[in-house]
Amino acid sequence: MKLKLKNVFLAYFLVSIAGLLYALVQLGQPCDCLPPLRAAAEQLRQKDLRISQLQADLRRPPPAPAQPPEPEALPTIYVVTPTYARLVQKAELVRLSQTLSLVPRLHWLLVEDAEGPTPLVSGLLAGSGLLFTHLAVLTPKAQRLREGEPGWVRPRGVEQRNRALDWLRSGGGAVGGEKDPPPAGTRGVVYFADDDNTYSRELFEEMRWTRGVSVWPVGLVGGLRFEGPRVQDGRVVGFHTAWEPNRPFPVDMAGFAVALPLLLAKPSAQFDATAPRGHLESSLLSHLVDPKDLEPRAANCTRVLVWHTRTEKPKMKQEEQLQRQGRGSDPAVEAGDKRPLC
């Protein structure tokens, strides 16, 4: 038993001596703990530097907001609107003029279907605050709708739109407002805006930088929620439409705009009063652009910014009855068309 204890003690002593010798040897070796310590110190230094930068940014005054381009630097939008005398004419034109007044660098070409300017339209333009040109041309009798004919039988506003194109190209004939056409080299875009549609202000900024012919969807038209181009990879590849989809350009009048230089370079391009139903837009666009070169706007034609709305025709039975009795509404109160109702 004594021998075994002695052996255990001896083994313990030898192991201790070996451990002591190993420790003494390691004291002379370089320590490998410094790199991790240096890395941790560098991370702390970088964090302190980032905190200092953020504190300096907070003390710095905020930058001035980006200023929009000066109106003079923007291309001009020429809005062409045919209009004709009816009870709701003034209401329609007031609504449209107040939308247009929100758009910078805009020139309104208002064309009456009349032999000359009417006081109602002249007064409305004078008070609109808009840059405008007032034109007038009477639709030939052969092209006018006959009593009881639906509106789609004959194209309307053809003479008026073509009169506006003539003025843009050569001037002359203005009965009010700006008399001279755009000077050579003017940057601009031409849009045909009927007086009974509803327009988002955004639409005009979408079209402003048109290079050739730009397009977008139109709501509430063609018996659909909307009609418009189908776009793939930023190019027009077809059209969403239900009625005569094989038309050269199955678009609504409110669904495109044309760069002014392109219109001026194509003096023969105009609307054809004899075009088949639904082909009026194509009669102009076919002279200007190939369908594959159309420029999609409104987020690649995924947003509707114009609607083909129509004001309900007022019912005037009571007015007609009072007029027969000689007690009709005072014609001196300007409300709309002053022609007799019966």
Side-chain angles (χ1 to χ4, degrees):
M1 184 68 180
K2 289 181 179 180
L3 180 62
K4 291 181 178 179
L5 290 174
K6 182 178 179 180
N7 291 338
V8 171
F9 176 76
L10 182 60
Y12 179 77
F13 178 75
L14 293 173
V15 170
S16 298
I17 290 297
L20 179 61
L21 291 173
Y22 178 78
L24 291 173
V25 171
Q26 291 299 315
L27 287 174
Q29 300 296 323
C31 179
D32 60 354
C33 61
L34 289 179
L37 290 175
R38 288 195 184 99
E42 179 62 20
Q43 289 179 353
L44 289 174
R45 191 184 73 81
Q46 292 293 336
K47 288 182 178 178
D48 289 341
L49 181 61
R50 180 60 179 156
I51 290 172
S52 298
Q53 291 175 341
L54 292 173
Q55 290 174 337
D57 290 342
L58 289 174
R59 289 191 294 269
R60 188 179 300 119
Q67 296 297 318
E70 292 295 327
E72 292 76 12
L74 297 173
T76 301
I77 300 175
Y78 293 91
V79 176
V80 176
T81 301
T83 187
Y84 64 98
R86 60 203 191 276
L87 282 171
V88 297
Q89 182 185 27
K90 185 177 182 181
E92 304 278 31
L93 292 177
V94 166
R95 180 175 58 182
L96 177 56
S97 68
Q98 292 182 356
T99 297
L100 299 182
S101 68
L102 302 174
V103 183
R105 199 72 173 170
L106 183 142
H107 189 142
W108 195 15
L109 277 63
L110 189 56
V111 193
E112 290 196 69
D113 186 352
E115 293 180 346
T118 62
L120 185 148
V121 174
S122 296
L124 184 141
L125 285 170
S128 68
L130 292 164
L131 176 64
F132 69 88
T133 294
H134 189 182
L135 301 163
V137 58
L138 188 65
T139 299
K141 187 174 181 180
Q143 297 177 18
R144 302 182 76 87
L145 284 174
R146 297 183 177 88
E147 187 70 28
E149 281 187 334
W152 49 262
V153 170
R154 303 173 192 275
R156 291 179 291 178
V158 179
E159 295 294 323
Q160 289 72 40
R161 296 185 186 98
N162 285 339
R163 182 68 191 86
L165 293 179
D166 290 341
W167 182 86
L168 287 168
R169 288 168 173 145
S170 57
V175 295
E178 183 66 37
K179 302 292 176 53
D180 296 326
T186 298
R187 294 185 307 156
V189 60
V190 180
Y191 180 54
F192 301 96
D194 291 348
D195 61 6
D196 55 353
N197 290 343
T198 301
Y199 305 90
S200 167
R201 181 175 58 177
E202 292 180 70
L203 175 67
F204 299 94
E205 298 311 319
E206 290 283 334
M207 73 177 71
R208 190 182 294 279
W209 300 96
T210 298
R211 299 182 301 274
V213 177
S214 56
V215 289
W216 47 80
V218 178
L220 309 178
V221 67
L224 300 174
R225 291 178 61 187
F226 67 90
E227 280 187 343
R230 291 188 292 106
V231 178
Q232 183 176 339
D233 298 326
R235 299 180 69 88
V236 174
V237 296
F239 296 89
H240 174 66
T241 184
W243 188 78
E244 283 202 31
N246 294 323
R247 287 173 288 162
F249 292 88
V251 296
D252 186 75
M253 190 67 69
F256 68 91
V258 183
L260 177 63
L262 176 60
L263 269 175
L264 299 182
K266 304 281 187 178
S268 63
Q270 63 177 4
F271 294 99
D272 183 1
T274 65
R277 176 189 174 193
H279 289 248
L280 186 61
E281 296 84 355
S282 298
S283 71
L284 173 74
L285 294 176
S286 296
H287 293 278
L288 300 174
V289 68
D290 190 279
K292 65 179 178 59
D293 295 324
L294 293 170
E295 303 166 25
R297 293 289 194 268
N300 275 332
C301 298
T302 61
R303 300 183 63 208
V304 174
L305 300 174
V306 53
W307 294 263
H308 200 279
T309 50
R310 294 182 180 178
T311 302
E312 181 181 3
K313 185 177 180 180
K315 297 178 175 61
M316 292 286 113
K317 290 184 178 180
Q318 301 304 319
E319 181 69 38
E320 293 169 359
Q321 181 177 347
L322 287 179
Q323 284 191 0
R324 285 192 293 269
Q325 298 172 5
R327 299 187 298 117
S329 299
D330 185 354
V333 178
E334 185 184 70
D337 186 8
K338 296 181 179 179
R339 293 177 298 181
L341 297 173
C342 56

